[in-house]
């Protein structure tokens, strides 16, 4: 379905309010804001309420920020290094926080991810693992798919002996609506390579449960 035509002045206004510098983002901002205005009006809200003034543009700006993983060029540049130390044990980054949006209900799910790999020829800078997670989290998402995508990206870039990713998250679509189960935790995992061996998975869980 074609979008309604957007007035150039609206784009200029969106640019001013949203401080977006590209024309593509300005256009997206104006279109989303327009639809958001439609939602507010349909709900019978008073657009002259000072708290609702600019809400359309605020929501549009927020969506562009939260979904920046969809933007062209958003994929993190991951430099890999030769594994000169011949390190062949497990490397784990645990308790990496993330926020994402449920693709089914467009409300947040959030929690922590634990990412581990056992290198072959390549290793990766530790700060890259949170970046990879964020790239896939910043889009309408399913927790299962997020978990698989992070594992797949690591496997492709590093060609390691194996990768394991565990994601633990709370879903507001479960807590605020429907079955209304506050505090319920959804756990997903994705496995590649050597992590299919039980002793390797057990080592992962040992490291994960080790505190302080
Ligand atoms: Zn949901």
């Amino acid at each position: 379905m074609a979008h309604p035509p957007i007035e150039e002045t609206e784009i200029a206004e969106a640019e001013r309010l949203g401080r977006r510098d590209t024309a593509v983002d300005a256009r997206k901002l104006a279109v989303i804001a327009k639809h958001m205005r439609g939602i507010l009006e349909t709900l019978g809200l008073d657009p002259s309420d000072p708290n609702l003034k600019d809400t359309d543009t605020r929501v549009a700006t927020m969506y562009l920020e939260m979904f920046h993983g969809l933007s062209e060029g958003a994929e993190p540049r991951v430099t890999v290094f030769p594994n000169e130390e011949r390190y062949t044990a497990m490397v784990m980054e645990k308790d990496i926080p993330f926020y994402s949006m449920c693709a089914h209900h467009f409300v947040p799910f959030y929690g922590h991810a634990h990412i581990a790999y056992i290198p072959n020829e390549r290793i990766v800078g530790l700060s890259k693992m949170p970046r990879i997670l964020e790239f896939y989290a910043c889009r309408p998402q399913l927790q299962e798919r997020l978990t698989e995508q992070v594992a797949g990206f690591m496997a492709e870039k590093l060609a390691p002996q194996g990768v394991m990713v565990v994601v633990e998250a709370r879903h507001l679509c479960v807590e605020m609506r429907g079955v209304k189960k506050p505090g319920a935790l959804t756990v997903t995992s994705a496995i590649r390579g050597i992590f299919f061996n039980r002793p390797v998975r057990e080592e992962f869980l040992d490291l994960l449960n080790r505190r302080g």
Side-chain angles (χ1 to χ4, degrees), residues 102-109 141-142 171-174 177:
C102 165
H104 294 152
H105 300 97
F106 254 58
V107 290
F109 70 96
Q141 188 56 288
L142 307 178
H171 290 249
L172 292 191
C173 57
V174 174
R177 53 160 292 287

Side-chain angles (χ1 to χ4, degrees), residues 28 77 88 104 131 134 159 164 168 170 176 193 198:
K28 282 185 191 168
R77 247 179 289 256
T88 53
H104 294 152
R131 293 255 192 89
E134 184 179 310
M164 183 160 173
E168 302 175 292
R170 293 175 62 167
M176 294 176 68
R198 181 185 282 271

Side-chain angles (χ1 to χ4, degrees), residues 28 36 202:
K28 282 185 191 168
M36 191 62 211
E202 281 171 358

